[in-house]
């Protein structure tokens, strides 16, 4: 039976494999300011919240592949994924960054400024659903033309709500990404797997429903990548 590893950042068989990937392919060309945020994050008591560097490297590539100019991120924390996004966008690009906490964002903000991309960042403090509603209201009827890419990584139990809003905010052909959709692999394990907390079980159950909904959603072409903690990509097709 698979082992539940709630603190691990990888579903791979061993941490040494992800370390190999990071050491060979991610860290050598990681922007120095991203490294700065990663170091700040590693010292934070909630460091487990930081997105996996190899996943964010992939997003960076993806943003360039789809020619993204405008992005939105729900769940900023110390800003690792936010800075990677800002770096991947053209100079006149924009990323709306949403988080309930400004304090976490402030930890990484000096590095974002040092990287010379702060002018692309529009930080909005607030609840993810409320700020997405605000963006929809700002967009008016042209809402669907706003964003090329969205990354949802905030309150896991709001993913259905993010999905409905992001599919109106992201253009047809744009991509919405969700983090943690395999929740430590627990979605494929018995509910009472040793090592899982009550919260893990709640999120596991939620993700089972969310993943099933996405798989059946004909508005998107979806892919659940078994990388990091599970990354779902949805390309909006209608
Ligand atoms: C997993 S972390 C985000 C990690 C980040 N993407 C990175 O690359 O490091 C989740 C963040 O979501 C924020 N958050 C939690 N609930 C939220 C909500 N309802 N609305 C907006 N942000 C929320 C937390 O404050 C936290 O900073």
């Amino acid at each position: 039976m698979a082992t539940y590893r709630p603190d691990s950042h990888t579903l791979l068989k061993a941490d040494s494999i992800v370390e190999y990937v990071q050491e060979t392919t991610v860290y050598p060309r990681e922007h120095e300011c991203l490294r700065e945020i990663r170091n700040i994050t590693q010292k934070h008591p909630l460091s487990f919240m930081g997105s996996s560097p190899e996943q964010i490297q992939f997003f960076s590539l993806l943003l360039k592949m789809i020619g993204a100019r405008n992005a939105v991120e729900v769940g900023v924390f110390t800003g690792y994924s936010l800075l990677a996004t800002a770096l991947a966008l053209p100079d006149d690009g924009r990323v709306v960054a949403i988080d309930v906490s400004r304090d976490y964002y402030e930890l990484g903000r000096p590095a974002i400024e040092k990287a010379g991309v702060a002018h692309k960042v529009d930080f909005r403090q607030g609840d993810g659903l409320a700020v997405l509603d605000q963006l929809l209201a700002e967009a008016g009827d042209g809402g669907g033309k706003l964003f090329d890419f969205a990354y949802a990584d905030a309150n896991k139990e709001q993913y259905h709500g993010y999905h409905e809003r992001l599919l109106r905010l992201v253009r047809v052909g744009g991509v919405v990404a969700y983090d943690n959709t395999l929740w430590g692999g627990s979605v494929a394990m018995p509910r009472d797997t040793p090592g899982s907390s009550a919260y893990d079980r709640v999120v596991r159950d939620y993700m089972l429903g969310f993943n099933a909904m996405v798989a059946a959603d004909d508005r998107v072409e979806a892919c659940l990548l078994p990388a990091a903690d599970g990354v779902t990509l949805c390309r909006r097709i209608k």
Side-chain angles (χ1 to χ4, degrees):
M1 192 170 74
T3 319
Y4 184 57
R5 302 194 302 155
D7 298 329
S8 178
H9 273 247
T10 179
L11 294 165
L12 294 176
K13 284 181 185 167
D15 289 340
S16 56
I17 304 174
V18 78
E19 282 159 17
Y20 169 80
V21 172
Q22 292 170 342
E23 298 294 343
T24 57
T25 315
V26 182
Y27 298 156
R29 286 209 243 170
E30 184 185 42
H31 191 287
E32 61 172 300
C33 298
L34 276 174
R35 190 175 318 127
E36 211 169 299
I37 295 187
R38 184 162 54 79
N39 289 334
I40 291 168
T41 308
Q42 271 164 4
K43 290 184 200 119
H44 196 280
L46 301 175
S47 61
F48 64 88
M49 290 214 293
S51 298
S52 302
E54 68 280 10
Q55 170 192 338
I56 299 309
Q57 182 193 47
F58 167 66
F59 284 178
S60 178
L61 205 63
L62 180 66
L63 282 158
K64 292 170 192 167
M65 289 191 302
I66 66 171
R69 305 186 71 79
N70 292 300
V72 57
E73 174 172 298
V74 194
V76 172
F77 191 38
T78 49
Y80 190 84
S81 52
L82 173 60
L83 174 55
T85 299
L87 287 166
L89 297 175
D91 198 53
D92 61 349
R94 178 180 76 130
V95 49
V96 176
I98 306 166
D99 204 294
V100 275
S101 161
R102 178 175 280 274
D103 293 347
Y104 297 148
Y105 167 63
E106 289 299 334
L107 295 173
R109 197 165 62 89
I112 294 173
E113 275 166 12
K114 191 169 144 194
V117 292
H119 62 285
K120 301 184 206 174
V121 176
D122 175 2
F123 179 80
R124 313 255 186 131
Q125 184 178 8
D127 173 68
L129 295 177
V131 179
L132 291 176
D133 281 339
Q134 190 188 323
L135 292 175
L136 280 164
E138 284 170 22
D141 291 340
K145 296 194 189 101
L146 262 183
F147 298 102
D148 306 297
F149 180 80
Y151 178 34
D153 187 20
N155 184 331
K156 307 307 158 193
E157 293 162 83
Q158 290 188 342
Y159 274 22
H160 280 89
Y162 298 155
H163 192 67
E164 288 312 312
R165 288 160 180 79
L166 291 171
L167 284 188
R168 291 165 64 202
L169 286 166
V170 168
R171 66 169 168 84
V172 171
V175 175
V176 182
Y178 296 93
D179 199 17
N180 308 110
T181 51
L182 293 175
W183 201 249
S186 62
V187 289
M189 294 178 199
R191 193 166 194 276
D192 54 359
T193 297
S196 63
S197 65
Y199 175 67
D200 287 328
R201 290 192 280 275
V202 168
V203 180
R204 168 198 178 270
D205 292 349
Y206 186 90
M207 285 302 173
L208 286 172
F210 180 73
N211 292 338
M213 181 279 293
V214 167
D217 187 347
D218 65 3
R219 297 169 297 177
V220 298
E221 195 178 338
C223 163
L224 202 176
L225 278 176
D229 192 31
V231 183
T232 295
L233 298 178
C234 296
R235 178 172 172 268
R236 183 177 167 198
I237 52 175
K238 50 166 108 153

